[in-house]
Amino acid sequence: MADRVVAATHELTRTGAPLSLLHVLRWLRSHTDLEIEVVAGRLGEDGGQLRPDFESLVPTRLAPELFDPTTSAPSLPAAPVLYLNSILAAGALSHLPSPRPYVIARVPELSMSFRRSLDEPVLARLLAEADRFVAVSGSVRRLLVERYGVAEDAIAVVPGSIDLSGYAPAGEADTAALRRSLGLPDDALVVGAAGTTDWRKGPDLFVRLAKALQERLPDRPVHFVWIGGEPGGPAFWRVERRLVPASLSERVHFLGSRPDPYSYYALMDVFALTSREDPFPRVCMEVGAVGVPIVTFDNGGAAELVAKGCGYVVPYLDVDAMADHVAELLVDRSLHDRLGAVGAEVVRRDHTVDVGGPATLAEIERGLTAGPS
């Protein structure tokens, strides 16, 4: 059998796990002769915005029946290596082909996602069938070892990575035009956030942060911009319509998913990661690359990134401490610029696909050497 890999991804949305897979696949296509096929469980809530990107790169098909562990669906396509892009694709393990492939399980999730996304039979199958786990952070590695009993030597840590090959800094004129389109004053200070508007990502905590900063900087024109989530959905409606007080309604902006987030990152002075749990959010790498300092709670992989000197880590769910540091960065531009420069250097050194691509390839080659069983 040729050096062939099947990559299983739960959906094709413009969200962290599918984007990470897309960027690594681009690198693999440019640097290897691997035959790669993508099997996806669904388009996802945004209608599969990344589907054309995947289809232009490698053979890609939707096969929801192959992600349902309760059906007698046909087997996955045969290949020496099966690469699960997240634990949300673990249902596909009920449909392994023969001969059995070497299974790499990439894990960009932490305990909350394990509890909410996997029932016991699927979790048991994942732990039994995966030959190798690829954790996106030290936090994920500890979870696999301490809670789920995975052997330490069965886990590789491959931190998240982003593709900056097509990135160009936004021009001042474009940024000014975007400010005007959003109704932001020319002198506005912008605190950014990003992600789906679900409880785990903490949009309600972002609103609490806005309230706290309004109290700390009452005379400053501070605005709050959240990228991601689908406007009109129930989670979005709860945040925008029920949580944002009238006094902040003109300063808190939930913009939904945007195809070019970097242009919005260019607006931001500080990025606040309000997630209750996040294994290694790619948005922190993206804003770091742009030179935006980050303030995060002490949870998950973001703290590991920020600890390298590109922002502040505050106690878990301590919104007041987060507000203190965000205010400091908004006021002290010398500090802001220094931490932002460190972030740009760290991301380019440690977190691009030129680092993550070879690390992923090494795990695939390990599986190809082991061969199907």
Short mmCIF file of all heavy atoms in Angstrom, two decimals, residues 30-60:
data_model
loop_
_atom_site.label_atom_id
_atom_site.label_comp_id
_atom_site.label_asym_id
_atom_site.label_seq_id
_atom_site.Cartn_x
_atom_site.Cartn_y
_atom_site.Cartn_z
N SER A 30 3.11 20.45 0.13
CA SER A 30 4.24 21.19 -0.44
C SER A 30 5.57 20.49 -0.19
O SER A 30 6.54 20.73 -0.92
CB SER A 30 4.30 22.61 0.15
OG SER A 30 3.15 23.34 -0.18
N HIS A 31 5.63 19.64 0.84
CA HIS A 31 6.91 19.09 1.25
C HIS A 31 7.01 17.57 1.18
O HIS A 31 8.08 17.02 1.48
CB HIS A 31 7.22 19.54 2.69
CG HIS A 31 7.43 21.01 2.83
ND1 HIS A 31 6.40 21.91 2.94
CD2 HIS A 31 8.58 21.76 2.88
CE1 HIS A 31 6.88 23.14 3.05
NE2 HIS A 31 8.19 23.08 3.02
N THR A 32 5.93 16.88 0.82
CA THR A 32 5.97 15.42 0.76
C THR A 32 5.19 14.91 -0.44
O THR A 32 4.50 15.68 -1.11
CB THR A 32 5.34 14.79 2.04
OG1 THR A 32 3.91 14.87 1.95
CG2 THR A 32 5.82 15.47 3.29
N ASP A 33 5.33 13.61 -0.69
CA ASP A 33 4.55 12.94 -1.75
C ASP A 33 3.44 12.08 -1.16
O ASP A 33 2.91 11.19 -1.84
CB ASP A 33 5.48 12.06 -2.60
CG ASP A 33 6.50 12.87 -3.37
OD1 ASP A 33 6.14 13.98 -3.83
OD2 ASP A 33 7.67 12.43 -3.48
N LEU A 34 3.07 12.32 0.08
CA LEU A 34 2.02 11.53 0.70
C LEU A 34 0.70 11.65 -0.06
O LEU A 34 0.34 12.73 -0.53
CB LEU A 34 1.79 12.01 2.14
CG LEU A 34 2.86 11.70 3.19
CD1 LEU A 34 2.52 12.41 4.49
CD2 LEU A 34 2.97 10.21 3.42
N GLU A 35 0.00 10.54 -0.16
CA GLU A 35 -1.37 10.56 -0.67
C GLU A 35 -2.29 10.74 0.53
O GLU A 35 -2.30 9.92 1.44
CB GLU A 35 -1.70 9.26 -1.39
CG GLU A 35 -0.89 9.03 -2.65
CD GLU A 35 -1.28 7.73 -3.33
OE1 GLU A 35 -2.34 7.16 -2.98
OE2 GLU A 35 -0.51 7.28 -4.19
N ILE A 36 -3.05 11.81 0.51
CA ILE A 36 -3.88 12.15 1.67
C ILE A 36 -5.33 12.30 1.23
O ILE A 36 -5.61 12.93 0.21
CB ILE A 36 -3.40 13.46 2.33
CG1 ILE A 36 -1.92 13.36 2.71
CG2 ILE A 36 -4.25 13.78 3.57
CD1 ILE A 36 -1.32 14.67 3.17
N GLU A 37 -6.23 11.70 1.99
CA GLU A 37 -7.66 11.87 1.77
C GLU A 37 -8.29 12.33 3.06
O GLU A 37 -7.96 11.84 4.14
CB GLU A 37 -8.31 10.56 1.33
CG GLU A 37 -9.81 10.66 1.11
CD GLU A 37 -10.45 9.36 0.67
OE1 GLU A 37 -9.71 8.38 0.42
OE2 GLU A 37 -11.69 9.32 0.59
N VAL A 38 -9.20 13.29 2.96
CA VAL A 38 -9.91 13.81 4.13
C VAL A 38 -11.33 13.28 4.12
O VAL A 38 -12.03 13.33 3.09
CB VAL A 38 -9.92 15.35 4.16
CG1 VAL A 38 -10.89 15.88 5.21
CG2 VAL A 38 -8.51 15.88 4.42
N VAL A 39 -11.76 12.77 5.26
CA VAL A 39 -13.14 12.35 5.46
C VAL A 39 -13.72 13.21 6.57
O VAL A 39 -13.15 13.28 7.67
CB VAL A 39 -13.24 10.85 5.81
CG1 VAL A 39 -14.70 10.45 6.01
CG2 VAL A 39 -12.60 10.00 4.74
N ALA A 40 -14.83 13.87 6.29
CA ALA A 40 -15.43 14.77 7.26
C ALA A 40 -16.79 14.27 7.69
O ALA A 40 -17.55 13.70 6.89
CB ALA A 40 -15.56 16.18 6.67
N GLY A 41 -17.12 14.51 8.96
CA GLY A 41 -18.39 14.04 9.48
C GLY A 41 -19.56 14.93 9.12
O GLY A 41 -20.70 14.47 9.00
N ARG A 42 -19.30 16.23 8.94
CA ARG A 42 -20.39 17.15 8.61
C ARG A 42 -19.78 18.46 8.13
O ARG A 42 -18.57 18.69 8.25
CB ARG A 42 -21.27 17.43 9.84
CG ARG A 42 -20.52 18.06 11.00
CD ARG A 42 -21.45 18.42 12.14
NE ARG A 42 -20.73 19.16 13.19
CZ ARG A 42 -21.32 19.85 14.14
NH1 ARG A 42 -22.64 19.91 14.20
NH2 ARG A 42 -20.61 20.51 15.05
N LEU A 43 -20.63 19.32 7.59
CA LEU A 43 -20.16 20.65 7.21
C LEU A 43 -19.98 21.52 8.44
O LEU A 43 -18.99 22.24 8.55
CB LEU A 43 -21.16 21.30 6.25
CG LEU A 43 -21.26 20.68 4.86
CD1 LEU A 43 -22.35 21.38 4.05
CD2 LEU A 43 -19.93 20.76 4.12
N GLY A 44 -20.92 21.48 9.37
CA GLY A 44 -20.84 22.28 10.57
C GLY A 44 -21.74 23.49 10.52
O GLY A 44 -22.41 23.76 9.52
N GLU A 45 -21.77 24.24 11.61
CA GLU A 45 -22.75 25.31 11.78
C GLU A 45 -22.59 26.46 10.81
O GLU A 45 -23.54 27.18 10.53
CB GLU A 45 -22.70 25.83 13.22
CG GLU A 45 -23.21 24.82 14.24
CD GLU A 45 -23.23 25.38 15.65
OE1 GLU A 45 -22.83 26.55 15.82
OE2 GLU A 45 -23.63 24.65 16.57
N ASP A 46 -21.38 26.67 10.27
CA ASP A 46 -21.23 27.77 9.31
C ASP A 46 -21.39 27.30 7.87
O ASP A 46 -21.08 28.03 6.92
CB ASP A 46 -19.89 28.49 9.50
CG ASP A 46 -18.67 27.62 9.16
OD1 ASP A 46 -18.85 26.53 8.59
OD2 ASP A 46 -17.55 28.04 9.47
N GLY A 47 -21.93 26.08 7.69
CA GLY A 47 -22.15 25.57 6.35
C GLY A 47 -20.93 25.02 5.67
O GLY A 47 -20.92 24.76 4.46
N GLY A 48 -19.87 24.81 6.44
CA GLY A 48 -18.66 24.24 5.86
C GLY A 48 -17.87 25.26 5.06
O GLY A 48 -17.51 25.01 3.91
N GLN A 49 -17.55 26.38 5.68
CA GLN A 49 -16.83 27.44 4.97
C GLN A 49 -15.49 26.99 4.43
O GLN A 49 -15.01 27.53 3.43
CB GLN A 49 -16.65 28.66 5.88
CG GLN A 49 -17.92 29.42 6.18
CD GLN A 49 -17.66 30.68 6.99
OE1 GLN A 49 -16.53 31.10 7.18
NE2 GLN A 49 -18.73 31.28 7.50
N LEU A 50 -14.87 26.00 5.07
CA LEU A 50 -13.56 25.54 4.61
C LEU A 50 -13.63 24.43 3.57
O LEU A 50 -12.60 23.99 3.07
CB LEU A 50 -12.73 25.05 5.80
CG LEU A 50 -12.30 26.10 6.81
CD1 LEU A 50 -11.41 25.48 7.87
CD2 LEU A 50 -11.58 27.27 6.15
N ARG A 51 -14.83 23.99 3.22
CA ARG A 51 -14.93 22.88 2.28
C ARG A 51 -14.21 23.16 0.96
O ARG A 51 -13.44 22.31 0.49
CB ARG A 51 -16.40 22.54 2.02
CG ARG A 51 -16.59 21.31 1.13
CD ARG A 51 -18.06 20.97 0.95
NE ARG A 51 -18.24 19.67 0.30
CZ ARG A 51 -19.41 19.09 0.11
NH1 ARG A 51 -20.52 19.68 0.53
NH2 ARG A 51 -19.49 17.91 -0.48
N PRO A 52 -14.39 24.31 0.32
CA PRO A 52 -13.66 24.55 -0.93
C PRO A 52 -12.15 24.52 -0.75
O PRO A 52 -11.43 24.06 -1.65
CB PRO A 52 -14.15 25.94 -1.36
CG PRO A 52 -15.44 26.15 -0.66
CD PRO A 52 -15.30 25.43 0.64
N ASP A 53 -11.66 24.98 0.39
CA ASP A 53 -10.22 24.98 0.62
C ASP A 53 -9.69 23.55 0.72
O ASP A 53 -8.63 23.24 0.15
CB ASP A 53 -9.91 25.74 1.92
CG ASP A 53 -10.35 27.17 1.87
OD1 ASP A 53 -9.58 28.02 1.38
OD2 ASP A 53 -11.48 27.47 2.30
N PHE A 54 -10.41 22.69 1.44
CA PHE A 54 -9.98 21.30 1.52
C PHE A 54 -10.06 20.62 0.16
O PHE A 54 -9.13 19.91 -0.25
CB PHE A 54 -10.86 20.55 2.54
CG PHE A 54 -10.40 20.68 3.96
CD1 PHE A 54 -11.02 21.58 4.82
CD2 PHE A 54 -9.37 19.90 4.46
CE1 PHE A 54 -10.61 21.71 6.14
CE2 PHE A 54 -8.95 20.02 5.77
CZ PHE A 54 -9.57 20.93 6.62
N GLU A 55 -11.16 20.83 -0.54
CA GLU A 55 -11.36 20.15 -1.82
C GLU A 55 -10.35 20.58 -2.88
O GLU A 55 -10.03 19.79 -3.78
CB GLU A 55 -12.79 20.39 -2.31
CG GLU A 55 -13.83 19.68 -1.46
CD GLU A 55 -15.26 19.94 -1.92
OE1 GLU A 55 -15.50 20.95 -2.62
OE2 GLU A 55 -16.15 19.12 -1.58
N SER A 56 -9.86 21.80 -2.77
CA SER A 56 -8.85 22.25 -3.72
C SER A 56 -7.47 21.69 -3.41
O SER A 56 -6.56 21.75 -4.24
CB SER A 56 -8.77 23.79 -3.73
OG SER A 56 -8.25 24.27 -2.49
N LEU A 57 -7.33 21.10 -2.22
CA LEU A 57 -6.03 20.64 -1.77
C LEU A 57 -5.87 19.13 -1.87
O LEU A 57 -4.88 18.62 -2.41
CB LEU A 57 -5.85 21.09 -0.32
CG LEU A 57 -4.47 21.01 0.30
CD1 LEU A 57 -3.49 21.93 -0.42
CD2 LEU A 57 -4.54 21.38 1.80
N VAL A 58 -6.85 18.39 -1.35
CA VAL A 58 -6.79 16.93 -1.32
C VAL A 58 -8.19 16.39 -1.56
O VAL A 58 -9.18 17.10 -1.36
CB VAL A 58 -6.25 16.40 0.03
CG1 VAL A 58 -4.81 16.84 0.27
CG2 VAL A 58 -7.14 16.83 1.17
N PRO A 59 -8.33 15.13 -1.98
CA PRO A 59 -9.67 14.53 -2.07
C PRO A 59 -10.38 14.62 -0.72
O PRO A 59 -9.82 14.24 0.31
CB PRO A 59 -9.38 13.08 -2.46
CG PRO A 59 -8.06 13.12 -3.14
CD PRO A 59 -7.27 14.19 -2.43
N THR A 60 -11.59 15.14 -0.75
CA THR A 60 -12.34 15.39 0.49
C THR A 60 -13.78 14.97 0.28
O THR A 60 -14.39 15.31 -0.73
CB THR A 60 -12.30 16.89 0.86
OG1 THR A 60 -10.93 17.30 1.01
CG2 THR A 60 -13.05 17.17 2.15
#
